[in-house]
Amino acid sequence: MAGPFYPRFETLCIHAGQRTEAEAQGQSSVVFVGNSFRFRDMDHAASLHALATSGHTSSAISNPTVATLESRLAALEGGVAAVATATGMAAIHLAMTSLLNAGDHVVATHVLNPKTRQLLTRTLARLGVVTTFADFRDVRAVRSAMRTDTRLIFAETVALPTGEVTDIEAVAAVAREYTVPLMIDATATTAYLMRPIDLGADIVVQCLGGYVCGSDTAIGGVVIDSGRYDWSSSGYYPQFTQAAADDSGIHFVDDFGVHAYSMYLRYVGLADTGAALSPLSALQILQGLDTLSLRMQRQVDSASAIATFLQAQSSVAAVHWPSLETHPNYALARRVLPRGAGAVLGVSLQGGREAVDVFVRALQLIEHQGGVGTRCTSVLHPATTTHYLYNSGDLSQCGIGDELVQLSVGLEDTDDLISDLSRALRQVAKHAERQP
């Protein structure tokens, strides 16, 4: 008798997820664009709305095409379920607000994506949630930031553009010690380079418009539930462990077990916010997901060659990429990111802001825009764009200065990219020679 079959990553990218009867007739995913779905009879309609039967009532909550994407992403990450959203920030917002209440405390890494930081310090702070930002390079600092009212730890696999890598196993140990969930943003790495759940994360969030989609033609986000956190043991999350205050009487832990969090995300959080992913966007992301492993490995390999080239240039003060031996997180990256630490480089130029301006203007092939993880290589100056609201102290704490540019490596020929960078760096050197 043949043993069980466990598909590998590349196979899961193409075949994992629910398959409808229509999909079984061909090799491509089918898009269901309708907003509402027919019921067999009144009993079927009532059963679906009471969550007694699985199925779809409205694309604002669930949709067959979106469900295929969700199942595929959950399989790739090793989670029990996933909920897709309209954007990456919608996913983070949904994941956090489904957990947190007024008076709760969050411990987050000090090098967060600026949009996530703004969510915590602006929107959630206004609603009574307090956040402490800690240096996650030292697990003792994480433990020191914990309080009796801490309800969430949040970090990223790799912080951009400095390449700070989170030791998820060490931080997960602190989360278990304080009986709170660990949420990880894996946008910079995807499941191809790292599966945070395998390292102890309870919840994974991602923006899907970059590496996963790949073509820069769709935006979306996802929350992936590991199914491992015991919502009942801590007593911190009554929304999951007590019967709903409305007339439904739903008790998410008792009724849905390991799917309690993901079901709450969908039927309370998603239903209340309306941040559902469009079925057309889900189809475009599914089409990109087919080639994720091929694209990402090529981008990582190209980033490695470019990082090595840049290190040898006199106009470059430093290259920030964890897979380089000169990076302070090199040893950690080798352990948790054996395929490579992503395809985004932080590049510090000699000559500060003036050098950056000359460099960006001289680039011809590489685009000046903020996309990360797409097919096109791009460059950005974080201090005046993504991090423009940060004061000098915040920028210094994040390792971002006027001399730093972010380089997101795409799928172009590596030698062509190096030629473009070489040409721009020659202009930087010439500019420096003209200075008094």
Side-chain angles (χ1 to χ4, degrees), residues 118 382-391 395:
Q118 288 170 25
T384 54
T385 55
T386 54
H387 295 69
Y388 80 100
L389 289 176
Y390 284 28
N391 59 40
L395 288 172

Side-chain angles (χ1 to χ4, degrees), residues 407-418:
L407 184 68
S408 176
V409 180
L411 294 169
E412 300 93 341
D413 181 84
T414 305
D415 290 337
D416 288 343
L417 292 172
I418 289 176

Side-chain angles (χ1 to χ4, degrees), residues 64-264:
T65 307
V66 178
T68 299
L69 174 64
E70 291 169 337
S71 297
R72 195 162 296 175
L73 291 169
L76 291 172
E77 289 286 354
V80 298
V83 176
T85 60
T87 67
M89 280 310 303
I92 296 173
H93 186 284
L94 181 68
M96 288 187 177
T97 54
S98 294
L99 290 175
L100 303 171
N101 297 297
D104 286 348
H105 176 248
V106 177
V107 175
T109 177
H110 69 299
V111 287
L112 270 187
N113 178 288
K115 292 180 181 177
T116 307
R117 186 184 179 102
Q118 288 170 25
L119 171 64
L120 289 165
T121 59
R122 187 169 58 188
T123 303
L124 293 185
R126 180 171 54 83
L127 299 177
V129 175
V130 178
T131 301
T132 298
F133 295 99
D135 187 344
F136 275 41
R137 292 171 297 186
D138 183 356
V139 71
R140 293 170 298 182
V142 179
R143 185 173 283 105
S144 296
M146 300 295 288
R147 305 186 336 194
T148 56
D149 56 355
T150 300
R151 298 294 178 265
L152 176 67
I153 301 177
F154 187 92
E156 299 173 352
T157 53
V158 178
L160 305 180
T162 57
E164 185 173 309
V165 181
T166 299
D167 188 341
I168 294 176
E169 290 177 305
V171 177
V174 177
R176 288 192 297 271
E177 180 182 338
Y178 285 83
T179 327
V180 299
L182 170 61
M183 186 182 298
I184 296 291
D185 185 340
T187 299
T189 50
T190 78
Y192 177 70
L193 297 180
M194 178 199 290
R195 300 210 315 177
I197 289 173
D198 291 347
L199 300 175
D202 299 294
I203 302 162
V204 174
V205 292
Q206 279 187 48
C207 170
L208 302 177
Y211 291 114
V212 176
C213 177
S215 61
D216 204 23
T217 56
I219 58 174
V222 69
V223 185
I224 300 165
D225 180 13
S226 71
R228 296 176 181 173
Y229 184 81
D230 185 352
W231 301 104
S232 299
S233 64
S234 66
Y236 295 154
Y237 310 96
Q239 63 269 43
F240 307 135
T241 59
Q242 298 178 10
D246 56 29
D247 293 334
S248 69
I250 294 173
H251 189 296
F252 282 90
V253 168
D254 285 355
D255 294 343
F256 305 112
V258 296
H259 296 273
Y261 178 64
S262 60
M263 291 294 284
Y264 187 93

Side-chain angles (χ1 to χ4, degrees), residues 262-276:
S262 60
M263 291 294 284
Y264 187 93
L265 285 174
R266 186 180 306 283
Y267 291 101
V268 178
L270 197 62
D272 289 351
T273 61

